[in-house]
């Protein structure tokens, strides 16, 4: 098993380099880079243009009258200085390898448009995304596993039918639409004003007692987590049901029942471990998908300042250090989570041996 883990860790390096390489060179074809963004902002400021020799220039005509030559834009020397400052005066390949060398040492530099390092910026936004990802995943598992088992045991019954209808309806409703519904119904003021409409905590959070802080935190995170749970809960419930149905129909279950074992003993002593294999092992992947996938819309609707909004704003403003820094960190995290999922398979069922499969 150690050799398998070692090979997977080694494969992370070329995979991550490939991810960064593809995205780096694709971004070069996107118009409106950071230099263009800065130039556009500066050209709107006529006083700044005048101070560096740009802007509209006044000239004398042959008859002695004054007129305007028009905007001459930013001086080329100034633009060259900007390109040198941001490193855009170097060839693409040199910029890429320089970036990767810094990233290997976990030096992600500073944001182009914020006076803060990329690492500090990510750490600042991390609590919101971790809160959404962690509590959404835990809530989805707490609901889906008991419900999925119950549906499998009562397959074809009225309970199974009406719960399946509710699950399909919940799955078909877009997450952002359900989030707006919750916001209007419970925090919009038109109906009920039970929850706050923005932020992860209240403005006076630091002055609260310990239990008051816990209550305030869950009060703020309740609606975003419920909105994020809908799609994950629906998928996981059906996965649990199908997994248990598949195991219940196998020969070892029939044999166990023929030996006189009770249904509870058969279910939790034999079926549960095998059926839960794919569900438990998928926990890291589900957490990462919630952590990265649905955070942008949920964060925007509930005015939460997390990693989803950070990535979106960085992409719009062409803040390359933030874009590539977060891509590198999240790509590395995703690859490590893939390895962790395999290890969880082995932990749940020791009979699985990935090393023998590869050999």
């Amino acid at each position: 098993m150690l050799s398998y883990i070692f090979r997977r860790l080694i494969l992370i390096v070329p995979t991550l380099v490939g991810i960064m390489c593809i995205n780096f060179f694709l971004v070069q074809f996107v118009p409106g880079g950071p230099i263009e963004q800065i130039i556009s902002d500066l050209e709107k400021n006529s006083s700044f243009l005048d101070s560096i020799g740009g802007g509209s220039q006044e000239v004398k005509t042959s008859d002695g009258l004054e007129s305007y030559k028009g905007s001459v834009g930013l001086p080329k020397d100034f633009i060259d200085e900007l390109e040198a400052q941001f490193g855009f005066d170097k060839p693409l390949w040199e910029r890429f390898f320089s970036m990767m060398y810094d990233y290997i040492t976990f030096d992600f530099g500073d944001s182009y448009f914020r006076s803060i390092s990329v690492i500090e910026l990510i750490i600042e936004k991390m609590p919101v995304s971790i809160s959404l990802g962690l509590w959404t995943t835990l809530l989805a598992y707490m609901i889906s596993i008991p419900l999925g088992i119950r549906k499998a045991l009562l397959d074809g019954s009225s309970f199974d039918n009406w719960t399946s209808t509710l699950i399909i309806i919940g799955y078909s409703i877009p997450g952002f639409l359900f989030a707006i519904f919750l916001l209007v119904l419970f925090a919009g003021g038109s109906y009920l004003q039970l929850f706050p409409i923005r932020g992860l905590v209240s403005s006076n959070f630091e002055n609260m007692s310990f239990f008051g802080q816990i209550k305030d935190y869950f009060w703020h995170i309740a609606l975003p987590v419920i909105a994020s749970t809908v799609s994950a809960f629906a998928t996981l419930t059906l996965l649990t049901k199908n997994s248990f149905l598949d195991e219940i129909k196998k020969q070892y279950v029939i044999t166990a029942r023929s030996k006189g074992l009770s249904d509870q003993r058969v279910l939790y002593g034999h079926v549960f471990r095998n059926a839960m294999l794919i569900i438990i092992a998928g926990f890291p992947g589900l957490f990462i998908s919630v952590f990265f996938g649905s955070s942008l819309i949920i964060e925007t609707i509930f005015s939460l300042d997390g990693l989803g909004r950070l990535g979106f704003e960085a992409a719009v403003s062409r803040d390359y250090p933030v874009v590539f820094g977060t891509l590198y960190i999240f790509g590395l995290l995703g690859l490590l989570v893939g390895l962790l999922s395999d290890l969880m398979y082995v932990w749940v069922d020791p009979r699985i041996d990935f090393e023998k499969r590869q050999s």
Side-chain angles (χ1 to χ4, degrees):
M1 192 63 188
L2 290 178
S3 61
Y4 170 77
I5 295 174
F6 179 74
R7 286 196 300 268
R8 285 290 301 271
L9 290 174
I10 293 297
L11 284 174
I12 286 177
V13 177
T15 305
L16 191 58
V17 171
I19 293 172
M20 296 300 298
C21 181
I22 293 172
N23 285 274
F24 179 84
F25 287 100
L26 282 177
V27 164
Q28 309 309 314
F29 296 99
V30 179
I35 299 297
E36 287 78 5
Q37 296 270 355
I38 295 174
I39 291 174
S40 177
D41 292 339
L42 294 180
E43 286 180 340
K44 295 175 184 178
N45 189 345
S46 58
S47 60
F48 179 82
L49 287 177
D50 293 338
S51 67
I52 62 173
S56 299
Q57 292 186 350
E58 189 179 85
V59 298
K60 294 280 187 178
T61 61
S62 57
D63 56 2
L65 299 175
E66 294 180 350
S67 66
Y68 287 92
K69 182 180 179 180
S71 177
V72 297
L74 294 171
K76 186 178 184 305
D77 292 343
F78 180 77
I79 296 177
D80 292 340
E81 290 180 8
L82 275 179
E83 291 179 347
Q85 179 182 348
F86 289 98
F88 290 100
D89 58 333
K90 300 175 182 177
L92 277 179
W93 63 269
E94 184 178 345
R95 285 159 47 199
F96 174 74
F97 285 109
S98 175
M99 179 186 74
M100 289 306 301
Y101 176 79
D102 292 337
Y103 284 7
I104 289 173
T105 60
F106 289 92
D107 178 12
F108 300 101
D110 298 329
S111 168
Y112 283 162
F113 306 108
R114 310 186 193 203
S115 301
I116 187 173
S117 69
V118 174
I119 287 293
E120 291 176 350
L121 196 57
I122 292 175
I123 293 174
E124 179 184 316
K125 311 296 182 183
M126 191 72 79
V128 170
S129 296
I130 289 180
S131 295
L132 287 176
L134 179 61
W135 295 117
T136 296
T137 305
L138 290 177
L139 184 61
Y141 269 80
M142 289 171 61
I143 297 174
S144 300
I145 292 176
L147 180 58
I149 294 175
R150 188 67 177 171
K151 285 174 64 63
L153 295 177
L154 300 176
D155 183 43
S157 66
S158 58
F159 173 82
D160 180 44
N161 292 332
W162 70 260
T163 52
S164 294
T165 302
L166 291 178
I167 289 171
I168 293 172
I169 293 174
Y171 184 75
S172 63
I173 298 176
F176 74 91
L177 189 61
F178 189 67
I180 294 174
F181 169 76
L182 292 176
L183 194 64
V184 172
L185 185 60
F186 296 108
S190 301
Y191 298 95
L192 299 173
Q193 188 66 48
L194 300 179
F195 296 93
I197 61 175
R198 66 182 70 245
L200 189 63
V201 293
S202 299
S203 57
N204 61 335
F205 181 78
E206 298 294 336
N207 300 325
M208 296 179 181
S209 63
F210 176 73
F211 291 104
Q213 290 179 342
I214 295 176
K215 179 181 177 182
D216 183 74
Y217 168 75
F218 283 106
W219 184 45
H220 281 77
I221 206 67
L223 293 186
V225 167
I226 293 173
S228 301
T229 304
V230 175
S231 59
F233 146 75
T235 304
L236 191 58
T237 300
L238 295 178
L239 178 64
T240 304
K241 175 191 173 182
N242 294 333
S243 180
F244 271 82
L245 277 178
D246 184 59
E247 290 295 326
I248 288 173
K249 296 177 182 178
K250 289 185 177 180
Q251 184 63 41
Y252 75 89
V253 176
I254 299 175
T255 303
R257 285 175 174 169
S258 66
K259 291 181 177 180
L261 297 179
S262 65
D263 290 341
Q264 294 293 322
R265 178 74 180 275
V266 173
L267 177 64
Y268 294 105
H270 298 275
V271 175
F272 187 82
R273 187 182 68 175
N274 295 329
M276 289 298 294
L277 173 62
I278 188 173
I279 299 166
I280 295 176
F283 182 90
L286 178 61
F287 171 71
I288 291 297
S289 66
V290 175
F291 187 78
F292 298 137
S294 61
S295 58
L296 171 59
I297 297 177
I298 299 300
E299 288 174 12
T300 302
I301 293 175
F302 291 99
S303 300
L304 298 171
D305 194 9
L307 293 174
R309 291 182 65 181
L310 172 65
F312 174 75
E313 292 170 357
V316 170
S317 63
R318 307 295 193 271
D319 196 346
Y320 289 163
V322 178
V323 171
F324 292 122
T326 53
L327 177 65
Y328 181 88
I329 294 174
F330 297 158
L332 177 60
L333 185 60
L335 293 171
L336 291 174
V337 165
L339 175 58
L340 179 61
S341 296
D342 289 348
L343 296 179
M344 288 195 69
Y345 274 110
V346 178
W347 176 70
V348 175
D349 189 350
R351 295 173 299 176
I352 296 176
D353 193 335
F354 289 104
E355 191 169 350
K356 288 184 179 179
R357 283 188 175 186
Q358 287 190 345
S359 62

